[in-house]
Amino acid sequence: FTLFWIFTLSSSSSVNCSSFKIKVATNYRPERFVPEEQFFLMTSTAQTISGFFVWTALLITCHQIYMHLRYYSSPNEQRHIVRILFIVPIYAFDSWLSLLFFTNEEYYVYFDTVRDCYEAFVIYNFLSLCYEYLGGESAIMAEIRGKPIESSCMYGTCCLWGKAYSIGFLRFCKQATLQFCVVKPLMAVITVILQAFGKYKDGDFNVASGYLYVTIIYNISVSLSLYALFLFYFATRELLVPYNPVLKFFMVKSVIFLSFWQGMLLAILEKCGAIPQINSTDFSVGEGTVAAGYQNFIICIEMFFAAVALRHAFTYKVYMDKRLDSYGRCAPMKSISSSLKETMNPGDMVQDAIHNFSPAYQQYTQQSTLEHGGGPSLSRSHSNLSARGDNEKTLLLSSDDEF
């Protein structure tokens, strides 16, 4: 009787059952899984390819850094150049370590935090290098003070219509880059804390997740710093022509800004379901970690090309003749080690932050002067901000401009 009732019910309701099956099939969206042995990033081929590009980039850049320290004839300029060059070893080695520990969903966040913090330092040092090329704030102001700012929507200066270049303009450029040096490490610490409490996941744009808010704040901060960098180049591009700034500016901007949007694109692809998660008997890797793995693999390869381009953009050959003594000899190893120690000292950035954010210094420009044998300085000033090295001093010159 029971079998007869089931048969009768199914025969009389075939259409309803069919529609029910279609509805169930339509609503069912299974998760995409990739077995461990089929995933490229976990193969020895991926690790070998990334390792080859990483170690080649390390050799190229470390040799270039060594040569800059060996011919350390212009500390004010080469201090910033060496700091910029360190972006290749930090980016490359950090991304490679993230790939080696790919199966752990937390390690890559800590590795990438170190990498992302350094990029803020690079933007600041590139702007400071441009300042040094042109002789410092006082020399730059002597060239551009009072000139009207060209209004252009294409170059993002339409909001500055009717304004002229002043000390306030230079102050804005420095403040915009220095704020990124504060915001980025702060966001990195917040990311680590959120990760520890399970509130952070790459590519998770949910309003309850910290990824959305960290990404928005970071995007605003890095865009502001790069916009300030571009404004400075727009104002001084004619003065910077002898220093070939286009390649330098393009390399710094591409390594930092394009890598960020590259990560954003992978996060969007992950959200669209194009990047699967990995499941195995021993571990499970989410889509966000897989997207970060692709990002790290791409960066490993890109750093090789960045190392080659930076070698041409920041060549050490222009400093070689300046470093030879009267007998044609180069600096000994002791000088190289002390030069490296000087480049790693962030004291100049701290003093620059005080100068640019303190209200007491808003109407003063900095000028570096040299003293010889304890005698009088080469120029006069209203006050002394700090001393760098044994014979170099940073002086403040009054400026009554407003921006």
Side-chain angles (χ1 to χ4, degrees), residues 32-294:
R32 293 191 60 195
F33 300 113
V34 175
E36 172 189 353
E37 61 273 12
Q38 296 180 359
F39 193 67
F40 173 71
L41 293 179
M42 299 179 63
T43 62
S44 58
T45 302
Q47 295 179 356
T48 302
I49 293 174
S50 60
F52 171 77
F53 282 102
V54 165
W55 287 102
T56 304
L58 287 176
L59 290 175
I60 293 174
T61 306
C62 288
H63 175 263
Q64 186 182 7
I65 291 174
Y66 168 79
M67 296 303 290
H68 269 289
L69 297 176
R70 184 173 178 82
Y71 300 102
Y72 202 64
S73 56
S74 299
N76 287 348
E77 296 178 8
Q78 291 176 279
R79 175 193 302 122
H80 302 295
I81 291 176
V82 171
R83 291 172 178 175
I84 293 172
L85 294 178
F86 264 110
I87 193 174
V88 171
I90 291 176
Y91 260 56
F93 194 67
D94 177 275
S95 300
W96 193 56
L97 283 179
S98 297
L99 281 179
L100 295 182
F101 293 93
F102 175 74
T103 56
N104 192 301
E105 290 203 279
E106 295 182 359
Y107 285 1
Y108 83 94
V109 175
Y110 305 129
F111 290 136
D112 294 353
T113 296
V114 177
R115 181 187 71 195
D116 294 343
C117 286
Y118 195 77
E119 68 184 29
F121 192 49
V122 169
I123 293 180
Y124 162 77
N125 278 282
F126 181 71
L127 181 61
S128 298
L129 176 62
C130 293
Y131 272 57
E132 295 297 338
Y133 279 153
L134 301 179
E137 281 187 352
S138 59
I140 297 172
M141 285 312 305
E143 295 289 340
I144 69 173
R145 177 186 281 113
K147 293 182 179 179
I149 300 178
E150 180 183 349
S151 179
S152 171
C153 294
M154 178 179 179
Y155 294 107
T157 58
C158 53
C159 58
L160 302 177
W161 182 84
K163 292 184 177 293
Y165 291 114
S166 65
I167 185 58
F169 172 81
L170 293 184
R171 195 73 65 241
F172 167 77
C173 293
K174 272 293 181 72
Q175 289 174 346
T177 54
L178 285 167
Q179 62 81 26
F180 188 46
C181 294
V182 176
V183 171
K184 185 55 188 176
L186 181 61
M187 290 296 102
V189 173
I190 293 176
T191 299
V192 172
I193 295 174
L194 292 175
Q195 175 78 13
F197 286 93
K199 297 294 185 181
Y200 183 90
K201 183 181 178 182
D202 268 334
D204 186 5
F205 291 95
N206 194 308
V207 292
S209 174
Y211 177 80
L212 174 63
Y213 307 104
V214 170
T215 301
I216 292 175
I217 295 174
Y218 172 71
N219 192 18
I220 294 174
S221 181
V222 69
S223 299
L224 180 62
S225 63
L226 289 173
Y227 175 66
L229 196 64
F230 177 79
L231 283 182
F232 179 81
Y233 169 75
F234 183 75
T236 60
R237 59 190 183 278
E238 296 178 358
L239 303 174
L240 289 170
V241 169
Y243 305 98
N244 191 21
V246 177
L247 179 59
K248 296 179 175 67
F249 180 80
F250 174 77
M251 285 308 304
V252 172
K253 187 172 182 178
S254 61
V255 169
I256 296 174
F257 202 59
L258 295 183
S259 63
F260 168 73
W261 284 109
Q262 181 176 275
M264 284 293 298
L265 176 61
L266 288 171
I268 294 174
L269 291 176
E270 174 213 329
K271 195 67 177 178
C272 295
I275 298 178
Q277 66 178 5
I278 304 173
N279 261 1
S280 77
T281 56
D282 299 327
F283 56 84
S284 177
V285 180
E287 298 93 334
T289 304
V290 175
Y294 280 119

